[in-house]
Short mmCIF file of all heavy atoms in Angstrom, two decimals:
data_model
loop_
_atom_site.label_atom_id
_atom_site.label_comp_id
_atom_site.label_asym_id
_atom_site.label_seq_id
_atom_site.Cartn_x
_atom_site.Cartn_y
_atom_site.Cartn_z
N PRO A 1242 -48.16 24.34 13.87
CA PRO A 1242 -47.50 23.11 14.28
C PRO A 1242 -48.34 21.87 14.08
O PRO A 1242 -47.82 20.76 13.97
CB PRO A 1242 -47.15 23.34 15.74
CG PRO A 1242 -47.22 24.85 15.92
CD PRO A 1242 -48.21 25.35 14.97
N TRP A 1243 -49.64 22.02 13.97
CA TRP A 1243 -50.55 20.86 13.87
C TRP A 1243 -51.07 20.68 12.50
O TRP A 1243 -51.89 19.78 12.24
CB TRP A 1243 -51.74 21.07 14.85
CG TRP A 1243 -51.32 21.06 16.28
CD1 TRP A 1243 -51.21 22.16 17.11
CD2 TRP A 1243 -50.87 19.97 17.06
NE1 TRP A 1243 -50.79 21.78 18.32
CE2 TRP A 1243 -50.56 20.43 18.35
CE3 TRP A 1243 -50.76 18.59 16.81
CZ2 TRP A 1243 -50.15 19.61 19.36
CZ3 TRP A 1243 -50.31 17.72 17.78
CH2 TRP A 1243 -50.01 18.28 19.07
N GLU A 1244 -50.61 21.45 11.53
CA GLU A 1244 -51.10 21.33 10.10
C GLU A 1244 -50.83 19.89 9.62
O GLU A 1244 -49.73 19.44 9.72
CB GLU A 1244 -50.31 22.32 9.22
CG GLU A 1244 -50.81 22.34 7.75
CD GLU A 1244 -49.95 23.20 6.90
OE1 GLU A 1244 -48.89 22.73 6.47
OE2 GLU A 1244 -50.37 24.36 6.71
N GLY A 1245 -51.89 19.27 9.06
CA GLY A 1245 -51.78 17.97 8.52
C GLY A 1245 -51.89 16.86 9.56
O GLY A 1245 -51.92 15.64 9.20
N VAL A 1246 -51.87 17.18 10.86
CA VAL A 1246 -51.90 16.18 11.91
C VAL A 1246 -53.33 15.79 12.22
O VAL A 1246 -54.22 16.66 12.23
CB VAL A 1246 -51.18 16.69 13.17
CG1 VAL A 1246 -51.25 15.68 14.32
CG2 VAL A 1246 -49.72 17.05 12.88
N LEU A 1247 -53.54 14.51 12.60
CA LEU A 1247 -54.88 14.08 13.02
C LEU A 1247 -55.09 14.57 14.41
O LEU A 1247 -54.38 14.24 15.33
CB LEU A 1247 -54.95 12.55 12.97
CG LEU A 1247 -56.24 11.87 13.36
CD1 LEU A 1247 -57.41 12.27 12.44
CD2 LEU A 1247 -56.05 10.34 13.42
N VAL A 1248 -56.15 15.45 14.58
CA VAL A 1248 -56.34 16.13 15.83
C VAL A 1248 -57.73 15.83 16.38
O VAL A 1248 -58.60 15.31 15.67
CB VAL A 1248 -56.09 17.60 15.79
CG1 VAL A 1248 -54.66 17.92 15.37
CG2 VAL A 1248 -57.11 18.26 14.83
N ARG A 1249 -57.97 16.17 17.62
CA ARG A 1249 -59.37 15.99 18.28
C ARG A 1249 -59.56 17.23 19.15
O ARG A 1249 -58.71 17.65 19.96
CB ARG A 1249 -59.28 14.78 19.20
CG ARG A 1249 -60.53 14.59 19.98
CD ARG A 1249 -60.37 13.38 20.92
NE ARG A 1249 -61.50 13.09 21.78
CZ ARG A 1249 -62.58 12.42 21.42
NH1 ARG A 1249 -62.66 11.87 20.22
NH2 ARG A 1249 -63.58 12.19 22.24
N ILE A 1250 -60.74 17.90 18.92
CA ILE A 1250 -61.15 19.01 19.79
C ILE A 1250 -62.42 18.52 20.52
O ILE A 1250 -63.25 17.79 19.96
CB ILE A 1250 -61.40 20.25 18.98
CG1 ILE A 1250 -62.39 20.00 17.85
CG2 ILE A 1250 -60.07 20.79 18.45
CD1 ILE A 1250 -62.77 21.29 17.08
N GLU A 1251 -62.55 19.01 21.76
CA GLU A 1251 -63.68 18.54 22.59
C GLU A 1251 -64.36 19.74 23.22
O GLU A 1251 -63.83 20.83 23.29
CB GLU A 1251 -63.13 17.60 23.73
CG GLU A 1251 -62.52 16.35 23.17
CD GLU A 1251 -61.97 15.46 24.32
OE1 GLU A 1251 -61.89 15.99 25.49
OE2 GLU A 1251 -61.72 14.25 24.08
N GLY A 1252 -65.63 19.54 23.67
CA GLY A 1252 -66.40 20.56 24.33
C GLY A 1252 -67.50 19.88 25.14
O GLY A 1252 -67.71 18.73 25.08
N MET A 1253 -68.28 20.86 25.79
CA MET A 1253 -69.41 20.28 26.58
C MET A 1253 -70.72 20.96 26.20
O MET A 1253 -71.39 21.53 27.05
CB MET A 1253 -69.16 20.46 28.07
CG MET A 1253 -68.04 19.56 28.53
SD MET A 1253 -68.22 17.81 28.40
CE MET A 1253 -69.52 17.52 29.64
N PRO A 1254 -71.20 20.91 24.97
CA PRO A 1254 -70.50 20.39 23.77
C PRO A 1254 -69.80 21.55 23.11
O PRO A 1254 -69.78 22.68 23.52
CB PRO A 1254 -71.64 19.88 22.96
CG PRO A 1254 -72.76 20.89 23.22
CD PRO A 1254 -72.63 21.27 24.66
N LEU A 1255 -69.24 21.22 21.91
CA LEU A 1255 -68.77 22.23 20.94
C LEU A 1255 -69.94 22.75 20.22
O LEU A 1255 -70.60 22.02 19.42
CB LEU A 1255 -67.78 21.57 20.01
CG LEU A 1255 -66.41 21.20 20.48
CD1 LEU A 1255 -65.75 20.28 19.43
CD2 LEU A 1255 -65.55 22.36 20.74
N SER A 1256 -70.35 23.93 20.44
CA SER A 1256 -71.56 24.54 19.85
C SER A 1256 -71.25 25.14 18.48
O SER A 1256 -70.24 25.75 18.28
CB SER A 1256 -72.17 25.64 20.78
OG SER A 1256 -72.51 25.07 21.99
N VAL A 1257 -72.20 24.94 17.56
CA VAL A 1257 -72.13 25.61 16.28
C VAL A 1257 -72.47 27.07 16.46
O VAL A 1257 -73.56 27.41 16.97
CB VAL A 1257 -73.09 24.93 15.30
CG1 VAL A 1257 -73.06 25.70 13.94
CG2 VAL A 1257 -72.75 23.49 15.04
N VAL A 1258 -71.53 27.93 16.11
CA VAL A 1258 -71.70 29.40 16.39
C VAL A 1258 -71.90 30.19 15.16
O VAL A 1258 -72.32 31.31 15.21
CB VAL A 1258 -70.52 29.93 17.16
CG1 VAL A 1258 -70.44 29.28 18.53
CG2 VAL A 1258 -69.21 29.76 16.43
N ALA A 1259 -71.61 29.56 13.95
CA ALA A 1259 -71.80 30.37 12.69
C ALA A 1259 -71.83 29.41 11.53
O ALA A 1259 -71.26 28.34 11.58
CB ALA A 1259 -70.64 31.36 12.56
N LEU A 1260 -72.54 29.82 10.51
CA LEU A 1260 -72.63 29.12 9.25
C LEU A 1260 -72.08 30.01 8.11
O LEU A 1260 -72.84 30.79 7.55
CB LEU A 1260 -74.05 28.67 8.92
CG LEU A 1260 -74.68 27.80 10.05
CD1 LEU A 1260 -76.13 27.62 9.76
CD2 LEU A 1260 -74.01 26.43 10.05
N PRO A 1261 -70.80 30.02 7.86
CA PRO A 1261 -70.18 30.95 6.94
C PRO A 1261 -70.40 30.68 5.46
O PRO A 1261 -70.03 31.48 4.63
CB PRO A 1261 -68.70 30.89 7.25
CG PRO A 1261 -68.50 29.52 7.74
CD PRO A 1261 -69.79 29.15 8.49
N GLY A 1262 -71.03 29.58 5.14
CA GLY A 1262 -71.26 29.19 3.75
C GLY A 1262 -70.29 28.13 3.33
O GLY A 1262 -69.43 27.63 4.07
N SER A 1263 -70.42 27.77 2.03
CA SER A 1263 -69.57 26.71 1.45
C SER A 1263 -69.66 25.40 2.17
O SER A 1263 -68.67 24.68 2.22
CB SER A 1263 -68.13 27.21 1.33
OG SER A 1263 -68.04 28.36 0.52
N SER A 1264 -70.78 25.11 2.82
CA SER A 1264 -70.98 23.85 3.55
C SER A 1264 -69.98 23.64 4.66
O SER A 1264 -69.60 22.51 4.99
CB SER A 1264 -70.95 22.66 2.56
OG SER A 1264 -72.04 22.74 1.67
N GLU A 1265 -69.56 24.73 5.31
CA GLU A 1265 -68.72 24.65 6.45
C GLU A 1265 -69.39 25.31 7.66
O GLU A 1265 -70.43 25.94 7.49
CB GLU A 1265 -67.37 25.39 6.19
CG GLU A 1265 -66.54 24.72 5.05
CD GLU A 1265 -65.29 25.49 4.74
OE1 GLU A 1265 -65.13 26.64 5.13
OE2 GLU A 1265 -64.37 24.85 4.12
#
């Protein structure tokens, strides 16, 4: 339902949990 929509995700904080490659 949110494909293409400008969205916002929040956290305290949002922690980086993985580096799958391809600069993502």
